[in-house]
Amino acid sequence: MPNTPAAPSPIIPSPASGHAEGVSNDEFRAAMSRLASGVVLVTAQEPPLDPDDPTAPGGEDVGMTATAFMSVSLDPPLVLVSLRNGSRMDELLEEQELWAVSVLSESQRHIAGRFAMKGRVSDRLLFADIPYTRGEYTGAPLVGGALAVLECRTEQRVLSGDHTLVIGRVLTARVPSAEGGPLTYFRGRYRQLG
């Protein structure tokens, strides 16, 4: 009798998971925490509250730490960042299309931690003691000492589960600092290479 492959076992969801595929949130989070990733600060500038009134307060700078950031295409130059649905950055980038990314160095762990805090009311104080310049096209903060800085314009937004994938065309890309290594995120902690 010839050997026939066994039929695959059906995937049975675990009762606590709520996922038809059978993986719980905790199992998925634990598995993905083993994937090391770079750490970036995504920034944008809110538009003024009343653009027609020159005396009205200007828009606030907004920042968000991200580890789900990647290159998508060389021609044209495209990058992707994943934003939690309903987050301040997600809502801002739904309204306006210009944003920036600073690739953080290993010495900038404090910046990553600061902008990863949940439930903050304002980002104004978070930028207060961080050296930065403004992007030529976006007006967004570009962090001093970052390994690389990019300015982007949203090309596409893709709703995917509880996140939105924002694909941006890179308008400028510079490597202002060659010092130090990258800040990475692995097993739930910021780390250095080596």
Side-chain angles (χ1 to χ4, degrees):
M1 177 171 205
N3 269 346
T4 57
S9 301
I11 298 174
I12 301 168
S14 60
S17 78
H19 295 285
E21 292 80 18
V23 65
S24 72
N25 290 348
D26 290 340
E27 290 166 333
F28 180 69
R29 191 175 289 115
M32 294 311 296
S33 75
R34 278 17 180 220
L35 175 64
S37 57
V39 183
V40 301
L41 184 67
V42 179
T43 56
Q45 190 177 47
E46 282 184 325
L49 295 176
D50 184 357
D52 297 328
D53 180 0
T55 63
E60 190 172 271
D61 292 325
V62 178
M64 181 199 86
T65 302
T67 56
F69 175 77
M70 62 181 282
S71 168
V72 173
S73 167
L74 183 61
D75 186 16
L78 299 174
V79 293
L80 177 149
V81 65
S82 179
L83 306 175
R84 185 177 37 82
N85 293 340
S87 67
R88 187 168 182 203
M89 188 63 73
D90 178 42
E91 291 174 355
L92 176 56
L93 295 190
E94 190 171 24
E95 293 175 21
Q96 64 116 335
E97 60 183 12
L98 297 174
W99 45 285
V101 174
S102 298
V103 179
L104 299 180
S105 73
E106 60 194 2
S107 66
Q108 295 177 316
R109 179 184 304 213
H110 64 289
I111 296 173
R114 182 182 295 187
F115 285 92
M117 292 186 303
K118 290 183 171 62
R120 60 187 190 265
V121 177
S122 169
D123 286 3
R124 185 176 299 117
L125 294 176
L126 301 182
F127 281 104
D129 63 345
I130 295 174
Y132 65 86
T133 58
R134 293 218 173 264
E136 178 184 353
Y137 293 97
T138 63
L142 304 171
V143 176
L147 296 178
V149 292
L150 303 99
E151 291 186 89
C152 306
R153 182 184 65 238
T154 300
E155 293 270 308
Q156 188 177 6
R157 291 173 53 89
V158 180
L159 183 62
S160 187
D162 58 4
H163 278 64
T164 300
L165 308 178
V166 180
I167 299 170
R169 180 180 293 257
V170 178
L171 305 173
T172 66
R174 293 190 309 280
V175 183
S177 174
E179 297 300 315
L183 182 61
T184 60
Y185 193 72
F186 180 69
R187 295 184 73 175
R189 292 181 49 207
Y190 297 116
R191 301 179 189 263
Q192 299 172 320
L193 287 182

